[in-house]
Amino acid sequence: QSALTQPPSASGSPGQSVTISCTGTSSDVGGYNYVSWYQQHPGKAPKLMIYEVNKRPSGVPDRFSGSKSGNTASLTVSGLQVEDEADYYCSSYTGSKNWVFGGGTKVTVL
Amino acid sequence: EVQLLESGGGLVQSGGSLRLSCDASGFTFGNYWMHWVRQAPGGGVVWVSRMSSDGRTINYADSVKGRFTMSRDNARNTLNLQMNSLGAEDTAVYYCARGPRSDSGNYFVGDYWGQGTLVIVSS
C-alpha cells in the first residue's frame, strides 16, 4: 500500500488560510469517506483534527475544515494562528481493510 | 481522563524480538478498536495494525505481516504488539491509539494516542 501524496510544505501569514491536499487512489481516498487529518507538534503524538472527511472531534476549532473531491482530500486551516504551525498528516481507510497515511505536510506560519 | 501508556521499547539486535504493551485507562477498553502506529526518526507516521474490540478482527500493514502479532487483554485493559524478525526498517517510535467505539460506525485511526515507545534495531 503506497502512502498518500501530500505536499511537503505549506505556509501562510497569521489570519490567512492554508489548504493542504492529500491524493490517493480509488482504492482509498476516492473509494471511502473515511479520510482523517492529524496535527503533530514536534516531540508530541499526533492529534485527530478531522475524521470521515469533514467531521471535527469535540474541542477542535472550527477553523479546521475538511473536504474531498474524487481521489483528493483537502484540509483547510482558516484564520491561521501561530499554534497551528505543525506537521499535518492525512489518513484513509483502504480496500485492503488497512489504513494508509500521507507523507506529511509541514505548515509554517510566517 | 483517557490515558494510553506504551512500554517495552528499547535497543534490540537485527533479527531479534520485542514485545510492546499499551496500558489503557479512563475508558471502557473492551468497547474500542485499537491501533498501533509507528514513526521513524525524522519520518512520517505509518500505520502498523488494528484490532477490533473483541479481538476477532486483526489487520496488518504488508510491511509487518507475518512478523508482528497484535493482541489484547480486555480484562486487564492492555494492548500488545509482539515484534519478531526485527530489521533496521522497524526502528521507530511506536504509538498505540484508540480507534472508534465498535458500535459507533465511525472510522478513524486514533482520537487518543499514547506518548510512544522507542524501538531501535541495531545491525
Side-chain angles (χ1 to χ4, degrees):
Chain A
Q1 181 68 49
S2 299
L4 306 176
T5 301
Q6 296 181 235
S9 63
S11 62
S13 300
Q16 291 187 331
S17 294
V18 65
T19 297
I20 304 166
S21 62
C22 170
T23 301
T25 68
S26 57
S27 295
D28 38 65
V29 174
Y32 305 91
N33 288 324
Y34 299 147
V35 175
S36 43
W37 291 88
Y38 299 83
Q39 176 192 66
Q40 186 180 36
H41 287 109
K44 301 294 187 180
K47 175 186 176 183
L48 181 65
M49 304 302 284
I50 295 286
Y51 68 101
E52 293 174 13
V53 177
N54 55 17
K55 298 178 181 177
R56 274 188 313 275
S58 62
V60 173
D62 59 7
R63 303 184 292 103
F64 292 85
S65 62
S67 63
K68 192 188 85 167
S69 178
N71 296 338
T72 299
S74 298
L75 172 72
T76 297
V77 185
S78 305
L80 263 177
Q81 298 184 5
V82 173
E83 58 264 34
D84 298 332
E85 184 162 296
D87 293 326
Y88 291 82
Y89 294 91
C90 62
S91 176
S92 176
Y93 185 67
T94 81
S96 304
K97 298 185 178 180
N98 290 347
W99 288 84
V100 62
F101 280 87
T105 298
K106 181 176 182 61
V107 169
T108 301
V109 180
L110 302 171
Chain B
E1 179 192 6
V2 173
Q3 289 193 343
L4 298 169
L5 184 62
E6 302 93 339
S7 61
L11 179 63
V12 61
Q13 285 194 327
S14 180
S17 299
L18 214 53
R19 184 177 177 84
L20 305 183
S21 294
C22 171
D23 292 324
S25 61
F27 65 103
T28 306
F29 180 73
N31 288 347
Y32 288 80
W33 284 81
M34 295 296 296
H35 294 253
W36 286 100
V37 178
R38 69 185 181 183
Q39 185 170 30
V45 174
V46 177
W47 179 81
V48 172
S49 62
R50 70 165 183 168
M51 175 174 275
S52 60
S53 57
D54 60 7
R56 293 182 180 181
T57 299
I58 312 173
N59 300 108
Y60 298 97
D62 289 345
S63 59
V64 306
K65 198 174 297 182
R67 300 187 300 122
F68 288 14
T69 302
M70 187 175 181
S71 62
R72 65 190 297 162
D73 184 338
N74 287 346
R76 299 189 176 194
N77 296 340
T78 299
L79 186 72
N80 299 298
L81 185 67
Q82 177 66 41
M83 306 186 296
N84 298 331
S85 302
L86 286 164
E89 69 278 10
D90 298 313
T91 293
V93 172
Y94 285 74
Y95 296 99
C96 65
R98 189 183 82 165
R101 273 185 64 110
S102 57
D103 58 357
S104 68
N106 293 137
Y107 277 77
F108 52 80
V109 171
D111 59 353
Y112 286 90
W113 297 59
Q115 86 293 342
T117 186
L118 176 61
V119 172
I120 300 175
V121 183
S122 69
S123 53

Coordinates of all heavy atoms in Angstrom, one line a residue, chain A residues 14-60:
Chain A
P14 N -0.3 34.9 9.7 CA -1.4 34.8 10.6 C -2.7 35.5 10.1 O -2.6 36.5 9.5 CB -0.8 35.6 11.8 CG 0.6 35.4 11.7 CD 0.9 35.4 10.2
G15 N -3.8 34.8 10.3 CA -5.0 35.3 9.8 C -5.4 34.8 8.4 O -6.6 34.8 8.0
Q16 N -4.4 34.3 7.7 CA -4.7 33.8 6.3 C -5.2 32.4 6.4 O -5.2 31.8 7.5 CB -3.5 33.9 5.5 CG -3.1 35.3 5.1 CD -1.9 35.4 4.1 OE1 -1.1 34.5 4.1 NE2 -1.9 36.4 3.3
S17 N -5.5 31.8 5.2 CA -5.9 30.4 5.2 C -4.8 29.6 4.4 O -4.1 30.1 3.5 CB -7.2 30.3 4.4 OG -8.3 30.9 5.1
V18 N -4.7 28.4 4.8 CA -3.8 27.5 4.1 C -4.6 26.2 3.8 O -5.4 25.7 4.7 CB -2.5 27.2 4.9 CG1 -2.8 26.5 6.2 CG2 -1.5 26.4 4.0
T19 N -4.4 25.6 2.6 CA -5.1 24.4 2.3 C -4.0 23.3 1.9 O -3.1 23.6 1.1 CB -6.0 24.6 1.1 OG1 -7.1 25.5 1.5 CG2 -6.7 23.2 0.7
I20 N -4.2 22.1 2.5 CA -3.3 21.0 2.2 C -4.0 19.9 1.5 O -5.1 19.6 1.9 CB -2.8 20.4 3.6 CG1 -2.1 21.5 4.4 CG2 -1.8 19.3 3.3 CD1 -1.9 21.1 5.9
S21 N -3.4 19.4 0.4 CA -4.0 18.4 -0.4 C -3.5 17.0 0.0 O -2.4 16.9 0.6 CB -3.8 18.6 -1.9 OG -2.4 18.5 -2.2
C22 N -4.3 16.0 -0.3 CA -3.9 14.6 0.1 C -4.5 13.7 -1.1 O -5.7 13.5 -1.2 CB -4.5 14.2 1.4 SG -4.5 12.5 1.8
T23 N -3.6 13.2 -1.9 CA -4.0 12.5 -3.1 C -3.8 11.0 -3.0 O -2.7 10.6 -2.6 CB -3.3 13.0 -4.3 OG1 -3.6 14.4 -4.5 CG2 -3.8 12.3 -5.6
G24 N -4.8 10.2 -3.2 CA -4.7 8.8 -3.2 C -5.2 8.2 -4.5 O -5.0 8.7 -5.5
T25 N -5.9 7.1 -4.3 CA -6.5 6.4 -5.5 C -7.9 6.0 -5.2 O -8.5 6.3 -4.1 CB -5.7 5.1 -5.7 OG1 -6.0 4.2 -4.6 CG2 -4.2 5.3 -5.8
S26 N -8.5 5.4 -6.1 CA -9.9 4.9 -6.0 C -10.1 3.8 -5.0 O -11.2 3.5 -4.5 CB -10.5 4.5 -7.3 OG -9.8 3.4 -7.9
S27 N -8.9 3.2 -4.6 CA -8.9 2.2 -3.6 C -8.8 2.7 -2.1 O -9.0 1.9 -1.2 CB -7.8 1.2 -3.8 OG -7.9 0.5 -5.1
D28 N -8.6 4.0 -2.0 CA -8.5 4.5 -0.7 C -9.3 5.8 -0.6 O -10.5 5.8 -0.3 CB -7.1 4.7 -0.2 CG -6.1 5.2 -1.3 OD1 -6.3 6.3 -1.7 OD2 -5.2 4.4 -1.6
V29 N -8.7 7.0 -0.8 CA -9.4 8.2 -0.7 C -10.6 8.3 -1.5 O -11.7 8.7 -1.0 CB -8.4 9.4 -1.0 CG1 -9.2 10.7 -1.0 CG2 -7.2 9.5 -0.1
G30 N -10.5 7.9 -2.7 CA -11.7 8.0 -3.7 C -12.8 7.0 -3.4 O -13.9 7.2 -3.8
G31 N -12.4 5.9 -2.7 CA -13.4 4.8 -2.5 C -14.2 4.9 -1.2 O -15.2 4.2 -1.1
Y32 N -13.7 5.7 -0.3 CA -14.3 5.7 1.0 C -14.4 7.2 1.6 O -13.4 7.9 1.3 CB -13.6 4.9 2.0 CG -13.4 3.4 1.6 CD1 -12.2 3.1 0.9 CD2 -14.3 2.5 1.9 CE1 -12.1 1.8 0.4 CE2 -14.1 1.1 1.5 CZ -13.0 0.8 0.8 OH -12.8 -0.5 0.4
N33 N -15.4 7.5 2.3 CA -15.4 8.8 3.0 C -14.9 8.6 4.4 O -15.4 9.1 5.4 CB -16.9 9.3 3.1 CG -17.4 9.8 1.7 OD1 -16.6 10.3 0.9 ND2 -18.6 9.5 1.4
Y34 N -13.7 8.0 4.5 CA -13.0 7.7 5.7 C -11.6 8.4 5.8 O -10.7 7.7 6.2 CB -12.9 6.2 6.0 CG -14.3 5.5 6.0 CD1 -14.4 4.2 5.5 CD2 -15.4 6.1 6.5 CE1 -15.6 3.6 5.6 CE2 -16.6 5.5 6.6 CZ -16.7 4.2 6.1 OH -17.9 3.6 6.2
V35 N -11.6 9.6 5.3 CA -10.3 10.4 5.4 C -10.2 11.1 6.7 O -11.2 11.8 7.1 CB -10.2 11.3 4.2 CG1 -8.9 12.2 4.4 CG2 -10.2 10.6 2.9
S36 N -9.1 11.1 7.4 CA -8.9 11.8 8.6 C -7.6 12.6 8.5 O -6.8 12.3 7.7 CB -9.0 10.9 9.8 OG -8.2 9.7 9.7
W37 N -7.5 13.6 9.3 CA -6.4 14.5 9.4 C -5.8 14.6 10.8 O -6.6 14.7 11.8 CB -6.7 15.9 8.9 CG -7.0 16.0 7.4 CD1 -8.2 15.8 6.8 CD2 -6.1 16.2 6.4 NE1 -8.1 15.9 5.4 CE2 -6.8 16.2 5.1 CE3 -4.7 16.5 6.3 CZ2 -6.1 16.4 3.9 CZ3 -4.1 16.7 5.1 CH2 -4.8 16.7 3.9
Y38 N -4.5 14.6 10.9 CA -3.9 14.7 12.2 C -2.8 15.8 12.2 O -2.2 16.1 11.2 CB -3.1 13.3 12.5 CG -4.1 12.2 12.6 CD1 -4.5 11.5 11.4 CD2 -4.6 11.7 13.8 CE1 -5.4 10.5 11.4 CE2 -5.5 10.7 13.8 CZ -5.9 10.1 12.6 OH -6.8 9.1 12.7
Q39 N -2.8 16.5 13.4 CA -1.8 17.5 13.6 C -0.7 17.0 14.6 O -1.1 16.3 15.6 CB -2.5 18.7 14.3 CG -1.6 19.9 14.7 CD -2.3 20.9 15.5 OE1 -2.7 20.6 16.6 NE2 -2.6 22.1 15.0
Q40 N 0.5 17.2 14.3 CA 1.6 16.8 15.2 C 2.6 17.9 15.4 O 3.2 18.4 14.5 CB 2.3 15.5 14.6 CG 3.3 14.9 15.6 CD 4.0 13.7 15.0 OE1 4.3 13.6 13.8 NE2 4.3 12.7 15.9
H41 N 2.7 18.3 16.7 CA 3.8 19.2 17.0 C 5.0 18.4 17.4 O 5.0 17.2 17.7 CB 3.3 20.0 18.2 CG 2.3 21.1 17.9 ND1 1.0 21.0 18.3 CD2 2.4 22.2 17.1 CE1 0.3 22.0 17.8 NE2 1.1 22.8 17.1
P42 N 6.2 19.1 17.3 CA 7.5 18.4 17.5 C 7.5 17.7 18.9 O 7.2 18.3 19.9 CB 8.5 19.5 17.4 CG 7.9 20.5 16.5 CD 6.4 20.4 16.8
G43 N 7.9 16.4 18.8 CA 8.0 15.6 20.1 C 6.7 15.2 20.7 O 6.7 14.6 21.8
K44 N 5.6 15.4 20.0 CA 4.3 15.1 20.5 C 3.7 14.0 19.7 O 4.0 13.8 18.5 CB 3.4 16.3 20.6 CG 3.9 17.4 21.5 CD 4.0 17.0 22.9 CE 4.3 18.2 23.8 NZ 4.4 17.9 25.2
A45 N 2.6 13.4 20.2 CA 1.9 12.4 19.5 C 0.9 13.1 18.5 O 0.5 14.3 18.8 CB 1.1 11.5 20.4
P46 N 0.5 12.5 17.5 CA -0.5 13.1 16.6 C -1.8 13.3 17.3 O -2.1 12.7 18.2 CB -0.7 12.0 15.5 CG 0.6 11.3 15.5 CD 1.0 11.2 16.9
K47 N -2.5 14.3 16.8 CA -3.8 14.7 17.3 C -4.9 14.7 16.2 O -4.6 15.3 15.2 CB -3.8 16.1 18.0 CG -5.1 16.6 18.5 CD -5.0 18.0 19.0 CE -6.4 18.6 19.4 NZ -6.3 20.0 19.8
L48 N -6.0 14.0 16.4 CA -7.0 13.9 15.4 C -7.7 15.3 15.3 O -8.2 15.8 16.3 CB -8.1 12.9 15.9 CG -9.2 12.7 14.9 CD1 -8.8 12.1 13.6 CD2 -10.3 11.7 15.6
M49 N -7.8 15.8 14.1 CA -8.4 17.1 13.8 C -9.6 17.0 13.0 O -10.6 17.8 13.2 CB -7.4 18.0 13.0 CG -6.0 18.2 13.7 SD -6.2 18.9 15.4 CE -6.5 20.6 15.0
I50 N -9.7 16.1 12.1 CA -10.8 15.8 11.2 C -10.9 14.3 11.0 O -9.9 13.6 10.8 CB -10.6 16.5 9.8 CG1 -10.6 18.0 9.9 CG2 -11.7 16.1 8.8 CD1 -11.9 18.7 10.2
Y51 N -12.2 13.8 11.0 CA -12.4 12.4 10.6 C -13.6 12.3 9.7 O -14.4 13.2 9.6 CB -12.6 11.5 11.9 CG -13.8 11.8 12.6 CD1 -14.9 10.9 12.5 CD2 -13.9 12.8 13.5 CE1 -16.1 11.1 13.2 CE2 -15.1 13.1 14.3 CZ -16.2 12.2 14.1 OH -17.3 12.4 14.8
E52 N -13.6 11.2 8.9 CA -14.7 11.0 7.9 C -14.9 12.2 7.1 O -16.0 12.7 6.9 CB -16.0 10.6 8.6 CG -15.8 9.2 9.3 CD -17.0 8.8 10.1 OE1 -18.0 9.4 10.1 OE2 -16.8 7.8 10.9
V53 N -13.8 12.7 6.5 CA -13.7 13.8 5.5 C -13.8 15.1 6.1 O -13.0 16.0 5.9 CB -14.7 13.6 4.4 CG1 -14.6 14.8 3.4 CG2 -14.4 12.3 3.6
N54 N -14.9 15.4 6.9 CA -15.2 16.7 7.3 C -15.8 16.9 8.7 O -16.4 17.9 9.0 CB -16.2 17.4 6.3 CG -17.5 16.5 6.1 OD1 -17.8 15.6 6.9 ND2 -18.2 16.8 5.1
K55 N -15.7 15.8 9.5 CA -16.2 15.9 10.9 C -15.1 16.3 11.9 O -14.0 15.8 11.8 CB -16.8 14.5 11.3 CG -18.0 14.1 10.4 CD -18.5 12.7 10.9 CE -19.6 12.3 10.0 NZ -20.1 10.9 10.3
R56 N -15.5 17.2 12.8 CA -14.5 17.7 13.8 C -14.8 17.0 15.1 O -15.9 17.1 15.6 CB -14.6 19.2 13.9 CG -13.7 20.0 13.0 CD -13.7 21.5 13.3 NE -15.1 22.0 13.6 CZ -15.9 22.4 12.7 NH1 -15.5 22.4 11.4 NH2 -17.1 22.8 13.0
P57 N -13.8 16.4 15.7 CA -13.9 16.0 17.1 C -14.2 17.2 18.0 O -13.8 18.3 17.7 CB -12.6 15.3 17.5 CG -11.9 15.0 16.1 CD -12.4 16.1 15.2
S58 N -14.8 16.9 19.2 CA -15.1 18.0 20.1 C -13.8 18.6 20.5 O -12.8 17.9 20.8 CB -15.9 17.5 21.3 OG -15.2 16.5 22.0
G59 N -13.8 19.9 20.6 CA -12.6 20.6 21.1 C -11.7 21.1 19.9 O -10.8 21.9 20.2
V60 N -11.9 20.6 18.7 CA -11.1 21.1 17.6 C -11.8 22.4 17.1 O -13.0 22.4 16.8 CB -11.0 20.1 16.5 CG1 -10.4 20.6 15.2 CG2 -10.3 18.8 17.0

